Amino acid sequence: MSQFIKKMSRRAIVRALIALPALSLLRSQPAAADPEEIVEVNGWILKRSDLK
């Protein structure tokens, strides 16, 4: 593993580290949710439409 890192330039390592948080933000966006879906919030069972 250390040989792989030594071959990479500092610029490539910095770009990879910057890209990681951006990718996690894109993945954490919820898909279009069904308003009739049932969810649990702090022990309460609610319809998603009730949360708005």
Side-chain angles (χ1 to χ4, degrees), residues 2-47:
S2 63
Q3 291 176 355
F4 176 72
I5 292 176
K6 287 180 184 177
K7 289 182 181 180
M8 292 179 65
S9 69
R10 289 182 189 169
R11 184 175 290 171
I13 294 172
V14 170
R15 284 183 182 171
L17 291 174
I18 291 172
L20 287 175
L23 291 175
S24 66
L25 287 175
L26 293 175
R27 274 187 264 143
S28 67
Q29 291 179 350
D34 179 22
E36 297 300 314
E37 181 182 11
I38 296 175
V39 295
E40 179 185 353
V41 179
N42 295 331
W44 292 85
I45 307 297
L46 305 166
K47 287 185 181 178

